[in-house]
Amino acid sequence: LDPRTQARLEGLEGIHTMSWIGRGAEDVRAGVVPKTVLDHQKPVRQPLVRRHPVTGDPALYLCEEKQMDHVDGPVAGMEPGPDGAGARLIRDLLRHATQERFVYIHTWRAGDLVVGDNRCLLHAASWYDSAAHAREMWRTTVMGNPGAPYAGEKKSWLPPEGVPVMAGLEDA
């Protein structure tokens, strides 16, 4: 991103939501009344830019329109709604991030394993012919680095104090 856009994003928060609760762009346009949800299912504010805990590199942290709250956002403090300033900003950022030069498309073969770091990528499922091919997908999520966006957090991949570390990881 150019320096002007980087400065514009400083301190902004996106409002993330579950796609099925009626707060996505499509639902708001259709006049869907948002569902009442449990506390842990309510929309959550997240910085639009996070710093990777290992590299320190900035990365966009956003979702497509179904998973951003277009009732109160999608960007806190900006004009809400699917046609508001916040939505236009999200669409501009997604348009930038999904340029061909930033996209990796995997051509699957039997036995492939793809590992990605969700802290610095956007991902999307791609179409496949489900009538002709069975799909088996296993997802492993490594938990760690909770709380404020990684500031001063302990390296979550290291074992607890007193547990032996594999050779070579002491300085990781």
Side-chain angles (χ1 to χ4, degrees):
L1 296 170
D2 63 83
R4 183 173 169 233
T5 303
Q6 290 177 27
R8 180 178 179 206
L9 298 179
E10 193 67 37
L12 290 180
E13 294 177 315
I15 306 174
H16 298 249
T17 190
M18 294 185 202
S19 60
W20 54 267
I21 68 171
R23 298 178 82 88
E26 197 174 286
D27 288 337
V28 170
R29 279 195 178 98
V32 171
V33 176
K35 294 179 182 172
T36 301
V37 294
L38 302 171
D39 283 346
H40 72 280
Q41 298 171 322
K42 290 181 178 177
V44 176
R45 290 180 179 212
Q46 298 283 351
L48 282 183
V49 177
R50 288 182 148 193
R51 293 220 167 258
H52 193 281
V54 177
T55 67
D57 292 336
L60 293 173
Y61 191 76
L62 43 96
C63 297
E64 51 88 26
E65 293 191 287
K66 288 182 183 177
Q67 295 177 317
M68 299 298 289
D69 182 343
H70 290 269
V71 174
D72 295 328
V75 179
M78 293 183 77
E79 178 188 10
D83 299 308
R88 289 192 302 273
L89 175 60
I90 295 295
R91 284 193 293 274
D92 287 347
L93 293 172
L94 286 170
R95 213 175 354 264
H96 172 79
T98 57
Q99 292 176 66
E100 189 173 332
R101 64 186 171 135
F102 300 132
V103 173
Y104 170 76
I105 298 172
H106 189 78
T107 303
W108 291 95
R109 294 178 307 273
D112 282 358
L113 169 68
V114 174
V115 177
D117 186 342
N118 277 349
R119 299 170 295 184
C120 55
L121 62 81
L122 298 172
H123 58 85
S126 54
W127 181 89
Y128 73 101
D129 185 351
S130 62
H133 305 283
R135 179 179 183 191
E136 181 176 353
M137 182 179 128
W138 293 42
R139 177 182 174 146
T140 300
T141 301
V142 179
M143 304 301 288
N145 297 320
Y150 313 121
E153 294 172 329
K154 181 178 180 258
K155 295 176 181 175
S156 61
W157 61 89
L158 294 178
E161 195 69 34
V163 175
V165 178
M166 290 174 39
L169 290 182
E170 296 87 355
D171 298 319

